[in-house]
């Protein structure tokens, strides 16, 4: 609520600043200067549609994070170039006088900076900071007003005014909007080829939205452009001065629409028909009420206000203000409906309605403006916007009413839901498959920068959520289901030097606590953390939950601390806590440098792997068995327990390797003793799984030889 109030205050200030400047241009300058500024604003708003690409509404309603913040920022760089090119083409075609061109280009630069502010504010809004947009517009609105009073009122130079407006906009964007977005996101200015490709698909997929944004601005700009061409800049100044108070109404509609988008997206994904109808009806009623108040105000005080702000010569066109208010009400109603099109991702259909409305208003303007002047522009807007509103309303209502109503719309799904982080490896993928087989809808939380995200199975019950490990506080906003289980597998720095990076491993502990908080916010009943044998250090006995833990690296220490602190937090928040410690798991999607994966890969290529003496006593478990164990711990495990997960069988590593050779390529004999043991080599690593078997219904299903056969089929 506070966010919406701040956003409304900021938006009001920003657009009122433009209106006040339009009014004062008449007072300090002339109707011609006011008309020129209005023309520049109209054209700038049209080409702002190309730069902004309609992306803000798509960005904040991208609740599944299909695209990263970095890709949204990159898209803005590309659209800025496109916007500039299209403006140049337009100016060459229209052949305005030089002074007019300078004002239009200057205002275009102002809008281009605003487009960058827009994408940064979109990042802030997705992180629950919609107030940032309001504060930004408040600062920018007050700054351009100050520039007007300091510069224009004395020099009366419109070009200098717009240049300084651009400067104020740039400084605010750099010092406030960019920094606020950067504090909540890890976007940067170097882009990978993969990100460029995804951005291409983002722009391609939202091309219809860009054309819509372009035509939506064009709808209100067309009457002004035709009026200026037909009756001159001074008549446009009259029209702009009369219609300028309606800008307040337009910003009220924006204040309703932008916060509504994520809510509509959530409700649509949950088939919440009644809630969608409530949003639609309430927003439309609010628009009607604001419109009614505007007409009452115009009737009671309109003439006095116009006479006070302008002069008597404008009053001969006073009655046009009623027509303009009606047209603005209809445009506002269509804007509300268009938010539903965007949330429903009906972009092509939205484009068809918008283009049709633009064509219709152009035809009507060409017919009515030469005959009725200012009134003709208002008539054209009323007729075109009225037809558009009726047609769009019928279409959206048809979609909403066709949704299958859920029995209880406060419940998020008909099937149970689970969240899995760190799910691109062999255990994570197997756990997803296990949960799907058990009837769960799975929210797979993926690192946006990971090259392994394609490992996650494509399934209608698997919902991919792109969210970095340092951003888990966002998960309650990204997942629109009440979940019952939370499996935390994600961990940074699991290989190489990262295992002894103190700072990185300490951060992992905080990330684990963030995961617990997200689990609580999502309504989860159980939190399962996946730990490691590294928590024990080197021991010579089978591992149980009571085996003394003496980790020898920072990775093991952090895992051990995370197990303790997540348990404390879960108990505080009322969530059942389970902790598992995996030993050696193998399977498809395993790390390419793991012993089993690299051995199979080399053998399939005809290469003879080189091994250490392989005298270790080991315990290897296939990934689907490990996933089943983790699932059963969540389902049947006792609260606040730790379960060691392995096969329970101990064999010399040499036997495992010989089995791999026999199954994959029996013609190649293993070469033992060709490599030395690593530092601090663990020589005994086996699990005692009696507690796991006693507390749950777990039984190992995949013998080692069968697991190797399955894995060999998957490795190319």
């Amino acid at each position: 609520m506070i966010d919406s109030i701040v956003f409304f205050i900021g938006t009001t200030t920003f657009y009122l600043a433009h209106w006040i400047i339009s009014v004062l241009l008449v007072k300090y300058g002339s109707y011609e200067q006011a008309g020129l500024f209005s023309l520049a604003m109209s054209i700038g708003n049209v080409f702002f549609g190309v730069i902004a690409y309609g992306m803000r509404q798509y960005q904040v309603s991208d609740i599944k994070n299909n695209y990263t913040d970095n890709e949204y920022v990159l898209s803005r760089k590309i659209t800025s170039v496109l916007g500039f090119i299209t403006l140049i083409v337009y100016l060459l075609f229209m052949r305005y006088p030089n002074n007019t061109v300078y004002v239009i280009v200057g205002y275009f630069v102002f809008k281009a900076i605003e487009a960058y502010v827009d994408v940064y504010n979109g990042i802030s809004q997705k992180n629950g900071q919609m107030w940032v947009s309001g504060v930004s517009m408040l600062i920018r609105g007050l700054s351009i007003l100050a520039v007007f009073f300091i510069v224009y009122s004395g020099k009366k130079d419109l070009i200098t005014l717009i240049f300084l407006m651009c400067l104020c906009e740039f400084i605010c964007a750099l010092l406030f909007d960019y920094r606020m977005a950067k504090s909540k996101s890890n976007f940067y200015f170097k882009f990978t080829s993969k990100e460029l490709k995804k951005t291409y698909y983002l722009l391609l997929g939202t091309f219809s939205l860009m054309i819509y944004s372009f035509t939506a601005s064009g709808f209100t700009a067309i009457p002004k452009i035709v009026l200026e061409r037909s009756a001159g800049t001074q008549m446009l100044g009259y029209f702009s001065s009369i219609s300028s108070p309606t800008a307040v109404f337009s910003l009220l509609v924006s204040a309703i629409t932008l916060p509504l988008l994520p809510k509509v997206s959530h409700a649509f994904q949950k088939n919440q028909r009644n809630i969608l109808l409530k949003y639609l009806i309430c927003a439309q009623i609010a628009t009607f009420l604001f419109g009614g108040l505007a007409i009452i105000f115009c009737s009671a005080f309109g003439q006095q206000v116009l006479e006070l702000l302008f002069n008597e010569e404008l009053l001969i066109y006073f009655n046009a203000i009623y027509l303009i208010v009606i047209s603005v009400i209809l445009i506002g109603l269509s804007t509300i409906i268009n938010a539903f099109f965007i949330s429903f991702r009906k972009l092509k259909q939205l484009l068809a309605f918008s283009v049709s409305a633009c064509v219709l208003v152009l035809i009507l303007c060409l017919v009515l403006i030469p005959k009725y002047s200012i009134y003709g522009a208002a008539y054209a807007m009323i007729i075109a916007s009225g037809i558009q509103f009726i047609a769009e309303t019928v279409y959206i209502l048809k979609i909403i009413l066709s949704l299958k109503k859920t029995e209880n719309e406060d419940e998020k799904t008909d099937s149970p839901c689970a969240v899995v982080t760190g799910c691109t490896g062999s255990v994570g993928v197997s756990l997803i498959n296990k949960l799907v087989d058990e009837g769960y809808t799975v929210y797979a939380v993926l690192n946006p920068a990971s090259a392994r995200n394609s490992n996650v199975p494509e399934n209608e019950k698997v919902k991919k959520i792109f969210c970095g490990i340092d951003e888990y506080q966002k998960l309650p906003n990204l997942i629109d289901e009440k979940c019952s289980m939370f499996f935390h597998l994600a961990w940074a720095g699991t290989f190489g030097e990262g295992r002894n990076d103190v700072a990185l491993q300490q951060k992992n502990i905080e990330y684990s606590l963030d995961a617990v908080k997200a689990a609580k916010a999502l309504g989860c009943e159980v939190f399962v953390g996946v730990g490691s044998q590294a928590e024990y250090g080197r021991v010579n006995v089978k591992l149980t939950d009571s085996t003394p833990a003496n980790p020898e690296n920072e990775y093991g220490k952090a895992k051990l601390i995370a197990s303790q602190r997540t348990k404390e937090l879960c108990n505080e928040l009322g969530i059942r806590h389970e902790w598992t410690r995996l030993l050696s798991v193998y399977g498809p999607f395993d790390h390419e440098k793991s012993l089993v994966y690299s051995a199979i890969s080399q053998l399939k290529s005809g290469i003879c792997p080189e091994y250490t003496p392989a005298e270790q006593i080991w315990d290897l478990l296939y990934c689907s068995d490990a996933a089943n164990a983790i699932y059963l711990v969540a389902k049947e495990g006792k609260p606040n327990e730790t379960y060691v997960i392995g096969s329970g069988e101990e064999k010399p590593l040499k036997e495992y390797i010989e089995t791999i050779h026999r199954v994959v390529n029996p013609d190649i004999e293993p070469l033992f003793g060709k490599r030395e043991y690593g530092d601090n080599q663990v020589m005994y690593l086996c699990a005692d799984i009696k507690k796991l078997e006693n507390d749950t219904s777990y039984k190992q299903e995949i013998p080692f030889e069968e697991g190797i056969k399955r894995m060999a089929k998957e490795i190319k």
Side-chain angles (χ1 to χ4, degrees), residues 428-452:
V429 172
S430 296
L431 180 57
I432 289 174
N433 289 329
K434 174 64 178 177
L435 289 164
V436 169
D437 289 344
E438 294 293 332
Y440 283 79
T441 294
V442 181
Y443 282 92
V445 181
L446 306 175
N447 175 4
S450 175
R452 290 158 55 88

Side-chain angles (χ1 to χ4, degrees), residues 636-705:
E636 304 169 2
K638 295 180 180 179
N640 295 327
E641 292 291 346
T642 297
Y643 293 92
V644 182
I645 296 177
S647 69
E649 301 174 357
E650 56 181 68
K651 294 181 183 179
L653 184 59
K654 182 178 291 187
E655 287 188 23
Y656 285 116
I657 293 172
E658 289 171 344
T659 300
I660 295 172
H661 279 249
R662 184 175 69 254
V663 171
V664 180
N665 193 336
D667 295 332
I668 297 179
E669 292 291 329
L671 297 176
F672 295 111
K674 293 293 185 179
R675 297 173 57 187
E676 296 182 358
Y677 291 122
D679 294 338
N680 300 322
Q681 175 65 55
V682 177
M683 298 303 294
Y684 185 91
L685 185 60
C686 302
D688 183 336
I689 61 171
K690 291 178 182 177
K691 180 178 178 179
L692 176 65
E693 291 177 327
N694 290 337
D695 289 356
T696 73
S697 55
Y698 172 76
K699 296 294 179 184
Q700 182 182 358
E701 296 179 357
I702 310 298
F704 183 71
E705 185 168 329

Side-chain angles (χ1 to χ4, degrees), residues 537-687:
R538 286 175 291 175
V539 294
N540 295 316
V541 296
K542 281 193 170 186
L543 299 175
T544 70
D545 63 308
S546 59
T547 302
N550 297 295
E552 297 179 344
N553 56 39
E554 296 302 323
Y555 168 72
K557 293 175 185 177
K559 281 281 189 182
L560 181 61
I561 295 172
S563 72
Q564 298 164 346
R565 292 188 61 187
T566 54
K567 179 192 292 185
E568 293 169 359
L569 184 57
C570 280
N571 289 334
E572 179 183 331
L573 297 177
I575 306 173
R576 179 162 62 87
H577 181 272
E578 305 289 353
W579 192 261
T580 61
R581 288 175 181 153
L582 295 181
L583 270 58
S584 296
V585 178
Y586 68 98
F589 309 117
D590 200 357
H591 196 281
E592 293 180 358
K593 293 183 179 180
S594 70
L595 185 147
V596 176
Y597 192 105
S598 62
I600 293 174
S601 180
Q602 290 181 68
L603 288 170
K604 291 191 71 173
S605 300
I607 300 171
C608 183
E610 296 181 348
Y611 303 101
T612 65
E615 298 164 323
Q616 304 97 310
I617 304 301
W618 225 249
D619 179 334
L620 287 171
L621 182 68
Y622 190 64
C623 55
S624 64
D625 280 328
N628 184 41
I630 295 170
Y631 168 73
L632 291 173
V633 165
K635 196 77 174 175
E636 304 169 2
K638 295 180 180 179
N640 295 327
E641 292 291 346
T642 297
Y643 293 92
V644 182
I645 296 177
S647 69
E649 301 174 357
E650 56 181 68
K651 294 181 183 179
L653 184 59
K654 182 178 291 187
E655 287 188 23
Y656 285 116
I657 293 172
E658 289 171 344
T659 300
I660 295 172
H661 279 249
R662 184 175 69 254
V663 171
V664 180
N665 193 336
D667 295 332
I668 297 179
E669 292 291 329
L671 297 176
F672 295 111
K674 293 293 185 179
R675 297 173 57 187
E676 296 182 358
Y677 291 122
D679 294 338
N680 300 322
Q681 175 65 55
V682 177
M683 298 303 294
Y684 185 91
L685 185 60
C686 302

Side-chain angles (χ1 to χ4, degrees), residues 56 64 95 100 163 235 321 341 524 570 593 617 634 679:
R56 174 67 177 276
K64 292 186 177 180
R95 297 185 178 180
T100 303
F163 170 78
M235 189 60 72
I321 197 169
F341 275 90
C524 294
C570 280
K593 293 183 179 180
I617 304 301
D679 294 338

Side-chain angles (χ1 to χ4, degrees), residues 447-459:
N447 175 4
S450 175
R452 290 158 55 88
N453 289 337
S454 59
N455 293 353
V456 175
E458 297 292 337
N459 189 297

Side-chain angles (χ1 to χ4, degrees), residues 112-364:
I113 299 169
E114 186 178 325
Y116 277 90
V117 170
D118 199 55
V119 76
Y120 295 148
N121 289 169
I123 293 171
S124 296
Q125 184 178 349
K126 287 190 71 175
N127 283 278
Q129 294 185 322
M130 189 175 174
W131 62 267
V132 171
S133 296
V135 172
S136 172
M137 285 189 283
L138 179 65
I139 295 170
R140 289 183 286 132
L142 293 176
S143 66
I144 63 175
L145 267 181
V147 164
F148 178 87
F149 284 111
I150 294 170
V151 177
Y152 184 82
S153 58
K155 293 187 176 181
K156 297 182 175 58
D157 186 343
L158 191 56
I159 295 175
T160 302
L161 169 65
I162 292 178
F163 170 78
L164 291 175
M165 285 172 61
C166 293
L167 183 61
C168 290
E169 187 95 339
F170 176 77
I171 292 172
C172 178
L174 184 64
L175 298 183
F176 181 72
D177 302 279
Y178 170 77
R179 292 178 66 182
M180 292 302 300
K182 193 67 176 172
S183 70
K184 291 293 181 179
S185 176
N186 60 350
F187 68 89
Y188 45 90
F189 293 99
K190 293 182 180 180
F191 302 96
T192 64
S193 58
K194 183 179 179 180
E195 285 175 320
L196 285 169
K197 185 176 180 180
K198 279 196 69 180
T199 304
Y200 165 76
Y201 286 116
L202 170 62
L203 293 174
L204 187 65
T206 54
F207 181 76
S208 299
L209 193 57
M210 184 275 288
I211 300 297
Y212 154 70
S213 181
F214 184 86
T215 54
S217 300
F219 184 88
T220 55
I222 286 171
K224 294 181 180 180
I225 294 171
V226 174
L227 186 62
E228 190 270 341
R229 286 282 161 168
S230 176
T233 305
Q234 184 169 343
M235 189 60 72
L236 175 59
Y238 291 149
F239 180 81
S240 300
S241 298
I242 291 171
S243 60
S244 58
T246 61
V248 179
F249 182 80
S250 298
L251 67 90
L252 287 171
V253 174
S254 297
I256 295 170
T257 305
L258 201 55
L260 191 64
L261 280 161
K263 297 179 181 178
V264 173
S265 295
H266 282 292
F268 181 66
Q269 288 190 10
K270 293 179 285 185
N271 281 355
Q272 293 180 327
R273 188 175 69 185
N274 288 346
I275 292 178
L276 288 170
L277 288 172
K278 182 181 76 173
Y279 286 152
L280 179 60
I281 293 170
C282 289
Q284 300 290 32
I285 289 174
T287 305
F288 269 117
L289 288 176
F290 285 136
L293 291 173
I295 291 175
I296 293 171
F297 179 85
C298 289
S299 178
F301 307 106
Q303 289 194 6
Q304 294 91 322
V305 171
L306 288 180
E307 187 175 0
L308 177 65
L309 294 176
F310 304 106
N311 52 49
E312 291 184 359
E313 67 181 283
L314 192 63
L315 295 181
I316 61 174
Y317 299 108
F318 173 73
N319 288 333
I321 197 169
Y322 294 110
L323 300 175
I324 292 170
V325 169
I326 292 171
S327 70
V328 171
I329 292 172
L330 292 169
I331 292 170
L333 292 170
S334 285
T335 301
I336 298 292
I337 291 289
N338 293 344
F340 284 75
F341 275 90
I342 294 168
S343 296
F344 295 177
R345 295 299 188 251
K346 300 294 183 181
L347 304 185
K348 292 181 180 178
Q349 294 84 343
L350 175 60
L351 176 60
F353 282 113
S354 185
V355 170
S356 299
C358 271
V359 171
L360 181 58
V361 79
L362 175 60
I363 294 171
L364 291 170

